[in-house]
Amino acid sequence: MPATPERAWLGNPTHSEAIAVHGSTPVPPTVVLVHGAFTDASLWAGVISHLRAVGLSVRAAANPLRGLAQDAAHIRSVVRHLDAPVVLVGHGYGGAVITQAATDADNTVALCYVAALGLDAGESVLDITSRFAPMPVIDATLTAALPASCGAAPERELYIRRERFPEVYAADLPSRVTDVLAVAQRPIAWSALTGRSGPPAWASKPSWYAIATADRTLNPTAQRFMAQRMAATECLLDGSHAVVLSQSGAVAAMIREAVEQGTGRTGV
């Protein structure tokens, strides 16, 4: 592999020498995966296997799903503590999180969106979902009250009804898988859907976007709009919102492309 100029992947010459270079060899990149609503980091299992098989370092972060600012701060902290360049990947609501988290994370060199929300400054999740034709997931969710502490107002959180989960979230997966996903789903706080995004990281970082053309949770037309708005490299996948499981190999291939182009590494 040809020599790579020192700190070529940084895009910020003031970044710490400790993570820029080990001697004359750039630090290998780390892929950080951020899940969205109604699931957890295990959704990335197939993608992780594909990425590790080609020698990439991978971390699947736990997204709190409690509020956009809070969730972004958590992921930003995860990224900043990695002494390596990072390719940050978000699925669904996780896209909104990485959009805000990567703005102040200098070691983030590329962004990947998988059927994900790439918000602009001042936008909320509901701003995007209400702008396009409603999807079946809207009628399939239920709201539960989460007891608040310290006298705060009670928080509401959303689930997908178990009997509707396969249809709206993962129609291209077998029932033995969707039955487990439906039972194990993690709710998202309602406030996460109304929080306003800050300046988007995609405005200054190279981005890739996998559009799930059979998605019944996030409108594919909305996905295409966001991908084009951020001038992302697009990848069309005929899959449900759970495309990270149903087409893990294709998703991993897009991430590998982002790693290669974002960090100057080849052959991964």
Side-chain angles (χ1 to χ4, degrees):
M1 184 175 66
T4 303
E6 291 187 2
R7 294 188 292 180
W9 49 265
L10 278 175
N12 182 351
T14 65
H15 202 284
S16 169
E17 289 288 342
I19 69 172
V21 181
H22 283 204
S24 60
T25 304
V27 178
T30 295
V31 176
V32 176
L33 306 168
V34 181
H35 65 85
F38 313 120
T39 187
D40 59 25
S42 66
L43 192 74
W44 295 106
V47 173
I48 292 169
S49 295
H50 286 291
L51 296 178
R52 294 192 65 182
V54 295
L56 285 172
S57 176
V58 185
R59 178 161 182 177
N63 187 356
L65 305 178
R66 297 296 87 186
L68 184 54
Q70 176 182 339
D71 298 340
H74 175 74
I75 297 302
R76 183 183 301 115
S77 176
V78 170
V79 171
R80 283 178 170 174
H81 281 84
L82 293 173
D83 290 342
V86 169
V87 173
L88 198 50
V89 186
H91 171 247
Y93 166 74
V97 175
I98 69 168
T99 295
Q100 186 159 329
T103 301
D104 297 321
D106 293 342
N107 56 327
T108 301
V109 296
L111 302 171
C112 290
Y113 294 82
V114 184
L117 287 145
L119 302 181
D120 204 348
E123 278 184 341
S124 71
V125 172
L126 292 184
D127 286 338
I128 289 292
T129 58
S130 63
R131 193 179 304 174
F132 298 87
M135 301 303 288
V137 71
I138 294 177
D139 296 327
T141 55
L142 59 87
T143 304
L146 179 67
S149 58
C150 303
E155 174 66 280
R156 293 183 296 157
E157 53 185 14
L158 298 177
Y159 294 82
I160 297 176
R161 298 179 187 276
R162 290 185 185 178
E163 68 276 13
R164 299 286 305 279
F165 192 94
E167 166 201 347
V168 303
Y169 193 92
D172 51 357
L173 290 173
S175 59
R176 59 181 173 79
V177 176
T178 57
D179 288 348
V180 173
L181 292 176
V183 171
Q185 66 176 296
R186 287 184 55 212
I188 184 169
W190 178 260
S191 58
L193 307 182
T194 59
R196 300 287 172 182
S197 182
W202 49 256
S204 59
K205 300 180 188 293
S207 301
W208 280 256
Y209 198 115
I211 299 171
T213 60
D215 199 329
R216 305 191 75 189
T217 296
L218 179 59
N219 193 319
T221 303
Q223 295 180 39
R224 186 169 290 107
F225 163 77
M226 289 181 285
Q228 293 178 352
R229 180 172 65 177
M230 65 177 69
T233 299
E234 295 182 22
C235 175
L236 294 178
L237 299 178
D238 184 16
S240 70
H241 196 62
V243 70
V244 293
L245 275 177
S246 63
Q247 296 199 41
S248 58
V251 172
M254 182 188 72
I255 295 171
R256 288 173 58 187
E257 180 180 321
V259 169
E260 291 178 357
Q261 296 190 27
T263 65
R265 292 173 63 88
T266 58
V268 297

